[in-house]
Amino acid sequence: AQSVSQHNHHVILSEAASLELGCNYSYGGTVNLFWYVQYPGQHLQLLLKYFSGDPLVKGIKGFEAEFIKSKFSFNLRKPSVQWSDTAEYFCAVNRASSASKIIFGSGTRLSIRP
Amino acid sequence: GAGVSQSPSNKVTEKGKDVELRCDPISGHTALYWYRQSLGQGLEFLIYFQGNSAPDKSGLPSDRFSAERTGGSVSTLTIQRTQQEDSAVYLCASSPRTVSSYNEQFFGPGTRLTVL
C-alpha cells in the first residue's frame, strides 16, 4: 500500500532562515506529487505539484520542491522564510494516470519566530 | 468563482445520534473526496467519487459511515450512531480531472464535528 512519510512533525525557524521539509513515499510506479499548505484558520490549498517533466518545481510564495525518484522523495524548500509562512504543510502522493485516491502525509507544523 | 462549500461548519451532537454532513463541489468538477482530520493528525482518506463510476469506499472506518453523491454533484456523508472518536474535522475536496489539473484538489472549509 502507498504511504507518505513526513518525518518532521514540528519545525521552528527564525525569519530569513532556509527551510527544507522532508517527504518520502512508498510506491514503485509513476506518481503525481503535491504539497498543500493550511494557514491558521484557512482552507487547505495547493502549494505546488509535480506530474512530469522538470523534477524541480516552483510553487507559490517562493516555495519549490525537488522530485528525486531514486530516493522516493519530494522535499519542500524555501531559501528565506517569513513569519507569514507559519502554517501546516502536507505532502501528498497518488498514482499517475489512474482514478485513485490521494494519500496525505501526517503534516509538518512550521512555526516562524518574528 | 465559488469554491467548495460545506455545511454545517460546526456540528455538536450526542453520542449515538446520526449526523449528515454536506459538500457542494465546484461546478463541473467530476471527482469528489471526503477526508477526516483529527486533532494533530494528517488527512485520513474516507471515500472518493469519480463521475458515474463506483465510489472508492476503502477509507471508510466502519459500516456506520456512508456517503452518497446525487446527480454527480452534491455529496452527503452520513455517520450513524456517532461515537466520541468520530470527533474530527471532515473535509471535502473536488477535482476537475482535466489533463492540466490532473488530480489537483480544491478543499472546502470543513465541518468540525464534536460528539459529546
Side-chain angles (χ1 to χ4, degrees):
Chain A
Q2 284 176 266
S3 69
V4 180
S5 298
Q6 292 181 245
H7 302 293
N8 311 109
H9 298 296
H10 188 193
V11 173
I12 303 172
L13 295 172
S14 298
E15 275 196 314
S18 64
L19 169 72
E20 181 159 3
L21 301 182
C23 173
N24 288 89
Y25 64 93
S26 63
Y27 179 68
T30 304
V31 293
N32 297 321
L33 298 156
F34 308 83
W35 275 97
Y36 282 84
V37 61
Q38 188 170 29
Y39 296 103
Q42 295 189 26
H43 305 186
L44 268 164
Q45 58 185 281
L46 184 70
L47 203 52
L48 48 79
K49 61 189 177 186
Y50 171 81
F51 290 163
S52 64
D54 188 345
L56 183 62
V57 293
K58 307 277 187 190
I60 59 172
K61 305 186 179 185
F63 285 90
E64 65 178 32
E66 185 175 13
F67 170 47
I68 303 179
K69 189 174 181 179
S70 61
K71 295 184 177 180
F72 297 88
S73 70
F74 190 56
N75 292 354
L76 180 71
R77 301 194 294 247
K78 185 171 183 178
S80 177
V81 295
Q82 302 172 302
W83 179 79
S84 58
D85 294 324
T86 295
E88 187 135 20
Y89 293 81
F90 294 91
C91 181
V93 177
N94 88 312
R95 287 182 293 170
S97 303
S98 74
S100 65
K101 59 183 179 267
I102 295 181
I103 306 297
F104 282 78
S106 56
T108 297
R109 185 156 64 100
L110 176 64
S111 300
I112 305 298
R113 291 189 290 251
Chain B
V4 177
S5 61
Q6 292 185 245
S7 60
S9 55
N10 278 286
K11 176 71 177 179
V12 180
T13 190
E14 292 178 349
K15 178 181 172 181
K17 295 280 179 69
D18 298 351
V19 295
E20 283 190 352
L21 312 179
R22 177 187 168 104
C23 172
D24 280 275
I26 293 173
S27 178
H29 281 194
T30 58
L32 187 147
Y33 307 76
W34 282 98
Y35 295 90
R36 178 167 69 176
Q37 187 176 24
S38 303
L39 188 64
Q41 304 293 315
L43 274 72
E44 176 188 5
F45 166 80
L46 297 177
I47 188 168
Y48 160 63
F49 297 90
Q50 170 53 35
N52 295 321
S53 303
D56 178 349
K57 302 179 182 180
S58 60
L60 294 178
S62 77
D63 59 7
R64 296 186 296 104
F65 287 73
S66 62
E68 290 185 337
R69 188 178 186 193
T70 53
S73 181
V74 171
S75 177
T76 302
L77 176 70
T78 301
I79 309 173
Q80 295 178 308
R81 305 181 302 281
T82 52
Q83 305 293 312
Q84 288 182 331
E85 60 263 28
D86 299 334
S87 296
V89 176
Y90 289 82
L91 293 170
C92 176
S94 69
S95 171
R97 300 287 296 171
T98 61
V99 171
S100 61
S101 300
Y102 208 83
N103 285 334
E104 176 179 342
Q105 298 184 4
F106 296 81
F107 282 84
T111 294
R112 182 176 297 278
L113 174 66
T114 303
V115 182
L116 302 176

